[in-house]
């Protein structure tokens, strides 16, 4: 315990440690939505509205203005709940992750349950709904009486009537989970000796069960919406995998791969759109189960247990959601395996094509080499012919100049082998010079260097 001056109860001053930025939020979470005591009899009106982040900011500003108009400070920036005295009762505002709730409790009008709402209640024409209404409930707390004294058939549908006992028999709750003419789910809470705090806690848990079971079922319409698409993709995958058996050629495999990629894109788009809603439905269902466990339900003789009634419809809905999620995950893995197999086949076909192309290029290179060698041989002959002719002309000219030169024809004939050999050797050196550009050129080598 600490005093207002920050000293401990023992008188020792606390050290000024650096505070974690989330410390206040974490410590305040346990006190974020405390139970409020409820005296009997009492009427509770509860509404839950879905909102986006922008709508939540606008609603906080509107509620702060409502508080200011009644001379009361509004919620702080980090507050997620606030209570405003209004119309002879209390209006409780709560901000959740994706919805906002308004809960008003006041003394009832008249002696019987589910009478008219108190005049001047906050849900009149001036009330600004923050978003689409999702859950609405009316809970009437009445003093202890035997259930046989209440005309339950007057307020509830006997076909879906459910009830529970709690607090060691000191409380009985009855509802049919249907909407009345005002769109409200009616809940009757009979107090048989509970204190105000117990009554408030049980009333809040019952209202939370109604709110969270509605939120949990929001995933069911989305599951039913995506189920035909999942079925279509499953059937298409069966056809494609059967077609993979007889697929021949890279083009056919590429076509199948494109179709698989399209199916995978459709599946992932649907899974991404539904992932949050399905996860939220599971979380809300867990909260419903936790609230029912906290209530510690006991059966009411002659009436269906509330948890049994909820399980009869809520559990199949959750199984439907879970089943579709599992189908999406399994289908995603199957599509990935099929795509991997097709990519492997396409890669193998492409490697085979590349191999054939390289073989064809090698054959052309060999043909070009042979042609080049043939051309080189002809070039040696042609160049030798012209060089021998030049030698003959040179010998003839020297002979006419009076130099002792043998017969020019003889000189030309003798020079033929030498000229052919010299030209062949020269061309061989030129070809060897350009054969490997990475090798050091002959003139750049040392005296002991040898060219292979």
């Amino acid at each position: 315990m600490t005093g207002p001056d920050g000293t401990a109860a023992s008188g020792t001053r606390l050290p000024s440690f650096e505070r974690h930025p989330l410390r206040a939020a974490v410590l305040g979470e346990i006190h974020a939505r405390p139970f409020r005591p409820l005296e009997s009899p009492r009427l509770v009106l509860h509404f839950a509205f879905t909102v986006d982040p922008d709508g939540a900011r606008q609603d906080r500003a509107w509620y702060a203005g409502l508080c200011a108009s009644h001379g009361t400070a509004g919620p702080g920036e980090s507050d997620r709940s606030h209570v405003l005295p209004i119309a002879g009762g209390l209006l409780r505002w709560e901000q959740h992750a994706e919805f906002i709730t308004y809960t008003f409790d006041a003394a009832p009008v008249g002696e019987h349950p589910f009478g008219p709402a108190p005049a001047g209640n906050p849900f009149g024409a001036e009330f600004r709904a923050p978003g689409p209404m999702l859950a609405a409930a009316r809970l009437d707390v009445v003093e202890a009486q035997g259930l046989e004294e209440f005309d339950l058939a007057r307020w509830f549908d006997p076909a879906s009537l459910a009830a529970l006992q709690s607090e060691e028999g000191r409380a009985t709750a009855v509802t049919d989970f249907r909407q009345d003419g005002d769109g409200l789910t009616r809940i009757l809470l009979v107090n048989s000796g509970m204190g105000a705090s117990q009554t408030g806690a049980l009333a809040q848990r019952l209202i939370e069960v109604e709110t969270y079971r509605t939120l949990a079922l929001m995933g069911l319409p989305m599951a039913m919406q995506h189920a035909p698409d999942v079925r279509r993709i499953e059937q298409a995958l069966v056809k494609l995998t059967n077609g993979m058996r007889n697929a021949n050629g890279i083009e056919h495999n590429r076509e199948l791969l494109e179709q698989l990629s399209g199916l995978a894109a459709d599946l992932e788009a649907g899974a991404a759109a539904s992932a949050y809603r399905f996860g939220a439905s599971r979380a809300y269902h867990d909260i419903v189960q936790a609230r029912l466990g906290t209530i510690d339900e006991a059966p009411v003789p002659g009436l269906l247990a509330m948890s049994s009634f909820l399980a009869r419809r809520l559990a199949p809905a959750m199984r439907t959601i879970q089943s579709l999620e599992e189908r999406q995950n399994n289908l995603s893995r199957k599509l990935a395996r099929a795509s991997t197999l097709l990519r492997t086949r396409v890669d193998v076909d492409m490697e085979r094509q590349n191999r054939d192309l390289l073989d064809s290029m090698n054959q052309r290179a060999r043909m070009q080499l042979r042609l080049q060698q043939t051309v080189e041989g002809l070039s040696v002959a042609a160049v030798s012919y012209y060089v021998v002719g030049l030698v003959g002309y040179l010998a003839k000219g020297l002979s006419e100049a009076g130099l002792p030169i043998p017969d020019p024809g003889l000189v030309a004939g003798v020079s033929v082998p030498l000229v052919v050999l010299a030209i062949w050797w020269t061309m061989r050196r030129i070809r060897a010079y350009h054969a490997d550009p990475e090798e050091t050129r002959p003139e750049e080598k040392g005296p002991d260097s040898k060219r292979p």
Side-chain angles (χ1 to χ4, degrees), residues 257-294:
L257 184 58
E258 290 179 0
Q259 295 179 21
L260 276 176
S261 299
L263 293 178
D266 292 343
L267 178 65
E268 292 303 323
S274 61
Y276 173 79
R277 187 73 271 152
F278 291 168
S281 292
R282 289 195 305 272
Y284 291 135
H285 179 255
D286 292 342
I287 294 176
V288 171
Q289 298 303 314
R291 295 298 184 269
L292 290 173
T294 305

Side-chain angles (χ1 to χ4, degrees), residues 59-188:
D59 181 71
R60 177 182 288 269
W62 177 85
Y63 179 72
L66 178 65
C67 294
S69 67
H70 286 78
T72 304
E77 293 184 1
S78 60
D79 292 340
R80 291 190 292 165
S81 65
H82 187 269
V83 176
L84 170 66
I86 185 174
L90 295 175
L91 177 64
R92 181 170 180 171
W93 169 87
E94 292 185 0
Q95 185 176 26
H96 300 256
E98 61 174 335
F99 64 97
I100 290 176
T101 62
Y102 282 89
T103 307
F104 174 71
D105 67 272
V109 178
E111 299 179 355
H112 299 286
F114 308 113
N121 72 82
F123 303 114
E126 296 180 357
F127 179 77
R128 177 189 176 277
M133 185 187 72
L134 179 65
R138 171 173 175 163
L139 184 144
D140 281 33
V141 182
V142 297
E143 291 289 350
Q145 298 182 54
L147 280 181
E148 62 276 3
E149 299 184 17
F150 292 102
D151 186 7
L152 298 180
R154 174 185 175 186
W155 301 310
F156 302 106
D157 180 6
S160 57
L161 192 61
L164 62 80
Q165 286 185 344
S166 183
E167 300 296 338
E168 299 180 351
R170 293 193 298 269
T172 303
V174 183
T175 184
D176 59 1
F177 295 103
R178 294 187 180 276
Q179 287 71 51
D180 61 10
D182 297 323
L184 302 172
T185 300
R186 291 180 173 181
I187 304 173
L188 178 65

Side-chain angles (χ1 to χ4, degrees), residues 388-402:
V388 169
L390 291 176
V391 172
Y393 284 130
L394 178 62
K396 184 178 179 181
L398 293 176
S399 177
E400 291 177 356

Side-chain angles (χ1 to χ4, degrees), residues 129-264:
M133 185 187 72
L134 179 65
R138 171 173 175 163
L139 184 144
D140 281 33
V141 182
V142 297
E143 291 289 350
Q145 298 182 54
L147 280 181
E148 62 276 3
E149 299 184 17
F150 292 102
D151 186 7
L152 298 180
R154 174 185 175 186
W155 301 310
F156 302 106
D157 180 6
S160 57
L161 192 61
L164 62 80
Q165 286 185 344
S166 183
E167 300 296 338
E168 299 180 351
R170 293 193 298 269
T172 303
V174 183
T175 184
D176 59 1
F177 295 103
R178 294 187 180 276
Q179 287 71 51
D180 61 10
D182 297 323
L184 302 172
T185 300
R186 291 180 173 181
I187 304 173
L188 178 65
L189 178 58
V190 181
N191 184 359
S192 303
M194 292 188 298
S197 296
Q198 289 177 304
T199 304
L202 181 56
Q204 182 168 331
R205 289 172 182 141
L206 290 171
I207 287 176
E208 288 177 346
V209 167
E210 170 62 20
T211 302
Y212 287 116
R213 67 103 179 176
T214 307
L215 287 161
L217 288 172
M218 285 182 64
L220 182 60
M222 182 169 288
M224 298 176 67
Q225 175 186 352
H226 287 281
D229 290 336
V230 173
R231 180 59 180 165
R232 174 183 61 82
I233 295 173
E234 288 174 338
Q235 293 175 342
L237 178 60
V238 172
K239 293 178 61 177
L240 286 176
T241 51
N242 288 331
M244 288 169 57
R245 300 177 180 177
N246 303 321
N248 294 318
I250 188 172
E251 292 301 326
H252 193 185
N253 287 329
R254 281 181 175 174
E255 181 181 351
L256 291 176
L257 184 58
E258 290 179 0
Q259 295 179 21
L260 276 176
S261 299
L263 293 178

Side-chain angles (χ1 to χ4, degrees), residues 216 219-220 223 278 281 316-326:
L220 182 60
F278 291 168
S281 292
M318 297 309 300
R319 283 195 293 270
T320 299
I321 294 172
Q322 182 180 1
S323 173
L324 187 65
E325 269 193 307
E326 292 176 352

Side-chain angles (χ1 to χ4, degrees), residues 405-416:
I405 300 299
D407 181 46
L410 178 62
V411 173
V414 172
S415 68
V416 168

